[in-house]
Amino acid sequence: MNFITKNKITKNKKCYLILLPVLAALIIALIPTLKQQWPLGWDIIYHVHYAQIYAQYGFTLTDPLLNSPYGQKIGYMPLFHFLIAAIGTVFGVDFMQVARFLQPVLAASIILSVSYVAYRFYGEIAGVGAGFLMLSSYLVSRIVLSLPENLALIFIPLAVYLYYSSIKNKNYRTAFLGGLLFIIVLFTHNAATLCLSLTIISITVLELVVFRDFGVVKNFIFFFLSLILIAVAGIVALQIWAPQTLQNVIQQGITATTGISTSLPSNRPLGLLSFLGNLGVLVLIFSITGSVLAVIKHRRKDLILIVWILAMLLLSNAYWFGINVISYRVLIYLLIPLSIVGGYAISYAYQWMKTSDKFSSKKLRIGFLVVILGLSFVSGVMTVENPKVSNFYVKNEFETVQIAPPSTSEIELAEWFQENGNESRSFVISNQFTGMFIVTRAGMPMNYGFEFYSIKNYPNMTISKLKEDNIGYLVYDKRLVFPSEDNYTYIRSIQSEFFPLYYFSQNITTHFDEIKPDYATKVYENQDYIVCKIDY
């Protein structure tokens, strides 16, 4: 009895080893967080903006400040934005700084989730190894971002493990708990919901085909029971309190009503070298080894992880089947099961060394772990030290334009609008990435029709038309000029990711009188931007 109790205490103590990669993740995420005064990435700018919209207007499907005066469908699940709004409102903290604070919290939580699940599958060494392998991947550059996707990633490994546990133990309550985590993912991020759904479906098919376990259908139903209940309750609630919204969904579809897209408009495949390079050498070595071991042992938990990996591999290459996919964005979902089987390989190697005649020395075994974990940690640090993690760009046919973090000129421009802008009137801008920052920081509404209002002698443009559309300000990015100037002045919309950029054919500063409409008066200028005001 004493021996058994002692073993249990020792095992419980060892499980705390999985906090090592969590601590490492916290340190790695703090490096860029403390270096930058703004949260990392450009996406977080509009996520913070949506949090502000919810804080000001309550839950709404339409953002009144974008695409003014008509508004724009938000098109994102709201849970992440609610989280930022709640923390910022309760503690009286700027929402941008809330997002910055969440960076190390989300990163550490993701690693804790993956490490814990790997520990539950294969033991404490596997848990530690899986967490550090996650950090060794170049994809740690996404893990340190404050994004809805990263909030969802915390719950995906746990939901999969609960589903596996419910099958193993014939416990439908566990399946239902996993389904509750699915609901959290559903209300957080669309792509994460798809990835988790495909994983659960793949595991169910595995049970039906390989193990002939037809009872898994009950587990499947219990997993999605909470979704069914919420869907029924939601339909009833809409029928009572918002019947028009329900009618719009039925007639026009979810996308038209809410703005939430159910498909991608374009395809972005990833080459094999980029595919492998993003995952990282250590992940590839140990995940391949672990996968081979899993196939050889072919226990239920082994095959479930293999199926999970295959499902994400197929999704990342969905363009093979004519389905649009952003392959890079799926890699983070693939990295999770790869790291878990990679952790299993590390654990297997450690146990093999323990029973080997030549390598059984405890110093050698500890040295093996220290080398692997040390390399992973150093790799993670090197990744976040790379300026590419902090600086974000968009490419077009002419050049690469930096969109994050906000430049000094952008901050000065937003501050000018905060102090001088009339929030009852909208602005148009040639660089809508900067425009999004102005909306978020100054609360100014943005109209998307820059090319109609910002050039001299645009056909049929009158003060009454400007007044009707509530246009109050014209903002020019002086950097957006064609590489080769022409003899006459014109404007052209250049496509880039998210927003178009409007380029002029001549230097904006020296030819501004030829560009600026007569009804606009220049009221502000800094290194990169000119603001004109329209009086009526």
Side-chain angles (χ1 to χ4, degrees):
M1 180 67 70
N2 291 337
F3 175 75
I4 294 174
T5 304
K6 184 177 180 180
N7 275 353
K8 286 184 177 180
I9 293 173
T10 302
K11 186 175 180 180
N12 288 334
K13 285 183 177 179
K14 284 186 177 180
C15 79
Y16 291 113
L17 289 173
I18 65 172
L19 294 179
L20 289 176
V22 177
L23 178 60
L26 193 63
I27 293 171
I28 288 171
L30 279 173
I31 293 173
T33 299
L34 296 177
K35 279 187 175 182
Q36 298 288 334
Q37 63 173 320
W38 298 95
L40 302 174
W42 183 80
D43 299 37
I44 191 58
I45 294 174
Y46 61 78
H47 287 305
V48 165
H49 168 63
Y50 292 148
Q52 293 171 340
I53 291 295
Y54 291 133
Q56 183 175 353
Y57 297 96
F59 180 70
T60 176
L61 296 175
T62 303
D63 181 346
L65 298 186
L66 298 182
N67 194 32
S68 176
Y70 311 104
Q72 177 177 288
K73 298 295 182 184
I74 291 178
Y76 283 89
M77 301 306 281
L79 191 57
F80 180 74
H81 310 121
F82 287 171
L83 178 63
I84 291 178
I87 295 174
T89 302
V90 169
F91 294 100
V93 180
D94 179 82
F95 287 8
M96 280 286 189
Q97 294 309 310
V98 171
R100 182 168 169 246
F101 161 77
L102 284 176
Q103 288 171 178
V105 173
L106 292 175
S109 299
I110 292 169
I111 300 304
L112 176 60
S113 176
V114 173
S115 296
Y116 176 76
V117 170
Y119 159 71
R120 297 298 298 178
F121 269 109
Y122 295 115
E124 64 276 353
I125 300 299
V128 174
F132 274 97
L133 287 178
M134 288 279 291
L135 297 176
S136 74
S137 170
Y138 181 75
L139 295 173
V140 75
S141 60
R142 283 196 63 80
I143 293 174
V144 299
L145 301 180
S146 187
L147 295 173
E149 183 176 46
N150 285 345
L151 178 60
L153 283 176
I154 298 169
F155 303 101
I156 288 178
L158 297 171
V160 173
Y161 175 74
L162 287 172
Y163 189 59
Y164 155 73
S165 180
S166 76
I167 295 170
K168 177 184 175 182
N169 301 315
K170 304 296 182 183
N171 188 330
Y172 303 126
R173 184 176 64 179
T174 307
F176 183 76
L177 290 175
L180 292 179
L181 296 185
F182 175 84
I183 295 300
I184 295 176
V185 173
L186 172 66
F187 285 106
T188 303
H189 195 259
N190 299 343
T193 303
L194 172 63
C195 291
L196 179 53
S197 300
L198 288 177
T199 301
I200 298 301
I201 291 170
S202 300
I203 292 171
T204 305
V205 171
L206 170 73
E207 288 292 320
L208 290 171
V209 175
V210 176
F211 295 104
R212 303 292 181 179
D213 179 12
F214 297 102
V216 74
V217 174
K218 290 184 179 179
N219 300 80
F220 187 80
I221 292 172
F222 271 91
F223 185 89
F224 287 107
L225 182 59
S226 55
L227 173 63
I228 296 169
L229 294 175
I230 288 175
V232 171
I235 292 172
V236 172
L238 285 175
Q239 183 62 44
I240 296 173
W241 289 295
Q244 186 58 49
T245 300
L246 180 60
Q247 192 68 24
N248 289 340
V249 172
I250 295 172
Q251 293 179 348
Q252 304 174 22
I254 293 176
T255 301
T257 306
T258 66
I260 297 174
S261 178
T262 55
S263 62
L264 293 173
S266 61
N267 190 43
R268 294 184 215 166
L270 202 62
L272 180 61
L273 291 179
S274 296
F275 195 94
L276 300 178
N278 279 291
L279 290 173
V281 175
L282 288 176
V283 172
L284 290 173
I285 291 173
F286 287 104
S287 64
I288 291 173
T289 305
S291 297
V292 171
L293 291 170
V295 171
I296 292 173
K297 291 192 176 287
H298 60 270
R299 295 163 297 188
R300 175 177 263 115
K301 62 183 179 182
D302 302 321
L303 296 185
I304 280 176
L305 283 165
I306 294 298
V307 164
W308 187 358
I309 291 169
L310 290 176
M312 294 302 98
L313 274 173
L314 286 175
L315 181 60
S316 65
N317 294 284
Y319 61 90
W320 292 345
F321 311 103
I323 301 172
N324 289 338
V325 64
I326 303 177
S327 297
Y328 175 75
R329 298 293 293 272
V330 182
L331 289 187
I332 190 68
Y333 301 97
L334 174 61
L335 178 63
I336 292 173
L338 286 179
S339 296
I340 293 173
V341 296
Y344 170 48
I346 292 174
S347 177
Y348 185 89
Y350 181 85
Q351 297 302 328
W352 176 82
M353 291 175 68
K354 194 173 182 179
T355 59
S356 170
D357 293 335
K358 293 183 179 180
F359 306 103
S360 60
S361 167
K362 188 173 183 179
K363 289 183 178 180
L364 281 176
R365 286 183 281 126
I366 298 299
F368 165 74
L369 291 180
V370 168
V371 169
I372 300 302
L373 306 187
L375 286 173
S376 298
F377 180 73
V378 170
S379 176
V381 170
M382 291 176 65
T383 298
V384 298
E385 286 281 11
N386 191 323
K388 291 182 180 179
V389 173
S390 302
N391 300 325
F392 286 72
Y393 303 84
V394 290
K395 292 182 179 180
N396 59 48
E397 60 186 271
F398 296 125
E399 60 181 339
T400 299
V401 179
Q402 181 174 328
I403 58 174
S407 67
T408 301
S409 293
E410 286 177 308
I411 295 170
E412 291 172 352
L413 179 63
E415 288 175 348
W416 184 87
F417 271 108
Q418 281 180 302
E419 296 174 4
N420 304 283
N422 182 350
E423 294 181 10
S424 65
R425 295 186 182 179
S426 61
F427 70 95
V428 294
I429 185 169
S430 57
N431 184 339
Q432 290 182 14
F433 296 96
T434 298
M436 191 71 238
F437 182 68
I438 295 172
V439 172
T440 303
R441 297 306 290 170
M444 295 289 298
M446 178 167 61
N447 183 293
Y448 292 161
F450 179 80
E451 68 271 37
F452 306 126
Y453 310 106
S454 60
I455 58 175
K456 189 185 294 289
N457 301 325
Y458 187 85
N460 302 319
M461 185 55 63
T462 62
I463 289 292
S464 60
K465 174 64 176 173
L466 291 161
K467 187 175 182 179
E468 178 184 341
D469 292 343
N470 201 36
I471 307 299
Y473 303 90
L474 315 177
V475 186
Y476 302 81
D477 186 332
K478 295 188 287 185
R479 299 167 298 177
L480 301 184
V481 178
F482 295 145
S484 299
E485 292 191 28
D486 289 341
N487 293 326
Y488 63 98
T489 302
Y490 64 91
I491 187 176
R492 179 180 161 194
S493 173
I494 305 298
Q495 290 303 313
S496 64
E497 190 175 3
F498 297 113
F499 291 122
L501 295 168
Y502 293 94
Y503 279 70
F504 282 92
S505 61
Q506 293 184 320
N507 183 286
I508 294 174
T509 303
T510 57
H511 293 82
F512 194 61
D513 288 338
E514 302 168 32
I515 294 171
K516 178 185 70 66
D518 294 335
Y519 50 69
T521 303
K522 182 165 72 171
V523 292
Y524 175 77
E525 181 174 4
N526 65 22
Q527 181 178 345
D528 296 322
Y529 300 96
I530 297 175
V531 179
C532 291
K533 186 176 181 181
I534 300 169
D535 292 313
Y536 49 80

